[in-house]
């Protein structure tokens, strides 16, 4: 029995063929256990004398008796239990051998569907069912493309989150710098007022002079107007790189229209 036949029969019966065979074997085993249990009850309730047990007739020993005065045979119960255990083992072995053959015969003959008929079998719940996929059904290539898009989207999302975290850290640092500068600016007028006794002029806006007066800003020449001399120097010496914001603006004008820039700067 191949997998296709097993799947078809399982779908038809709603259980596997092996489950049916196991249920049959389990039913036989239950009958064996019931028979052994009934036999044990009958043997234990039978007087040992009727089963062939007896004491020595020489009169040298006095047999033990129970409360009712009946003679007790301790070896009788032990022999009955051993005999029943051997009988149970023998029956189980016989059933296993017999039903192994039963399983082979049933799987090869009863639960068998020819391979030529597998493609033609239609179960009841298959009626009025269209198995052909619709024209707009996704193909393996489209599914793979969507999967790649999803992976790239997740990757981009992860990078954007990292960039957002870095930007938040930079903003936090800038806010701390601005707060420190603001605290310094507010403390200076109070000190001047205490020394001179005159009120210091109020500042309406935030002092951002540190953006142009810091060593880094002076090195980059932030806020310095290059003027026409810088343009002329750059026009006469193209290898001179601009270093300020004004120079960059003039450089863009030079790149776009060099002739016009020369005329405006007085260069020929």
């Amino acid at each position: 029995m191949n997998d296709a036949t097993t799947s078809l029969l399982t779908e038809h019966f709603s259980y596997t063929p092996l489950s049916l065979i196991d249920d049959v074997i389990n039913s036989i085993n239950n009958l064996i256990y019931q028979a052994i249990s009934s036999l044990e009850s009958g043997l234990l309730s039978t007087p040992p004398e009727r089963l062939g047990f007896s004491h020595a007739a020489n009169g040298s020993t006095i047999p033990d008796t129970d409360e009712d005065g009946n003679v007790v045979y301790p070896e009788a119960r032990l022999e009955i239990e051993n005999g029943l255990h051997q009988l149970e083992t023998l029956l189980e072995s016989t059933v296993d051998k017999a039903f192994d053959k039963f399983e082979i015969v049933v799987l090869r003959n009863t639960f068998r569907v020819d391979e030529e008929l597998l493609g033609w079998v239609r179960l009841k719940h298959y009626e009025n069912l269209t198995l052909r996929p619709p024209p707009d059904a996704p193909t393996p290539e489209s599914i793979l493309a969507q999967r790649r898009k999803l992976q790239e989207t997740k990757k981009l999302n992860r990078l954007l989150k990292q960039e957002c975290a870095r930007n938040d850290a930079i903003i936090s640092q800038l806010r701390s710098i601005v707060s420190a500068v603001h605290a310094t600016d507010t403390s200076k007028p109070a000190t001047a007022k205490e020394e001179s006794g005159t009120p210091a002029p109020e500042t309406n806006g935030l002092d951002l002079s540190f953006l142009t007066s810091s060593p880094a800003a002076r090195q980059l020449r932030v806020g310095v107007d290059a003027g026409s001399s810088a343009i002329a120097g750059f026009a006469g010496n193209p290898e001179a790189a601009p270093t300020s914001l004004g120079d960059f603006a003039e450089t863009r004008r030079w790149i776009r229209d060099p002739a016009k820039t020369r005329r405006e700067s007085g260069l020929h």
Side-chain angles (χ1 to χ4, degrees), residues 197-210:
T198 58
E202 296 181 356
T203 57
N204 295 328
L206 180 63
D207 186 9
L208 300 178
S209 60
F210 70 95

Side-chain angles (χ1 to χ4, degrees), residues 40 128 197 233-234:
E40 182 180 6
N128 301 324
F234 180 71

Side-chain angles (χ1 to χ4, degrees), residues 149-165:
K149 289 181 181 179
L150 179 60
Q151 293 176 354
E152 294 298 328
T153 302
K154 289 183 178 180
K155 182 179 179 180
L156 179 60
N157 187 19
R158 184 169 59 254
L159 293 177
L160 290 177
K161 287 183 179 179
Q162 294 176 358
E163 185 68 21
C164 182

Side-chain angles (χ1 to χ4, degrees), residues 57-93:
N58 52 12
S60 59
T61 58
I62 299 175
D64 297 331
T65 58
D66 55 8
E67 297 177 355
D68 298 332
N70 298 322
V71 179
V72 178
Y73 297 90
E75 68 278 4
R77 185 177 185 86
L78 181 60
E79 290 190 13
I80 290 173
E81 291 178 353
N82 290 335
L84 291 175
H85 177 68
Q86 294 176 4
L87 178 61
E88 181 180 359
T89 304
L90 177 61
L91 291 177
E92 288 179 349
S93 176

Side-chain angles (χ1 to χ4, degrees), residues 3 27 39 42 59 76 94 101 113-114 123 138 156 159 173 179 191 224-226 229 232 246 256:
D3 295 337
S27 300
L39 183 59
T94 304
K101 299 177 182 179
V113 179
D114 293 336
L123 301 179
L156 179 60
L159 293 177
Q173 294 176 0
S179 300
T191 305
V224 178
D225 189 6
S229 60
R256 291 178 179 177

Side-chain angles (χ1 to χ4, degrees), residues 162-179:
Q162 294 176 358
E163 185 68 21
C164 182
R166 287 194 295 268
N167 293 338
D168 291 340
I170 294 174
I171 291 173
S172 177
Q173 294 176 0
L174 291 176
R175 286 178 178 174
S176 62
I177 293 174
V178 172
S179 300

Side-chain angles (χ1 to χ4, degrees), residues 117-249:
L117 299 177
L118 286 176
W120 298 93
V121 175
R122 185 177 65 177
L123 301 179
K124 185 176 181 180
H125 55 275
Y126 285 169
E127 295 180 357
N128 301 324
L129 182 63
T130 303
L131 300 179
R132 294 181 180 178
D136 56 346
T139 60
E141 292 78 10
S142 62
I143 294 175
L144 181 60
Q146 292 295 333
R147 184 177 300 174
R148 290 178 178 175
K149 289 181 181 179
L150 179 60
Q151 293 176 354
E152 294 298 328
T153 302
K154 289 183 178 180
K155 182 179 179 180
L156 179 60
N157 187 19
R158 184 169 59 254
L159 293 177
L160 290 177
K161 287 183 179 179
Q162 294 176 358
E163 185 68 21
C164 182
R166 287 194 295 268
N167 293 338
D168 291 340
I170 294 174
I171 291 173
S172 177
Q173 294 176 0
L174 291 176
R175 286 178 178 174
S176 62
I177 293 174
V178 172
S179 300
V181 173
H182 182 68
T184 304
D185 293 340
T186 54
S187 62
K188 287 181 179 180
T191 305
K193 181 179 179 181
E194 292 177 357
E195 293 178 355
S196 61
T198 58
E202 296 181 356
T203 57
N204 295 328
L206 180 63
D207 186 9
L208 300 178
S209 60
F210 70 95
L211 295 176
T212 58
S213 61
S214 63
R218 287 196 299 270
Q219 183 179 1
L220 295 175
R221 300 180 64 189
V222 177
V224 178
D225 189 6
S228 59
S229 60
I231 299 174
F234 180 71
N237 186 11
E239 296 179 357
T243 58
S244 65
L245 297 178
D247 291 341
F248 278 106

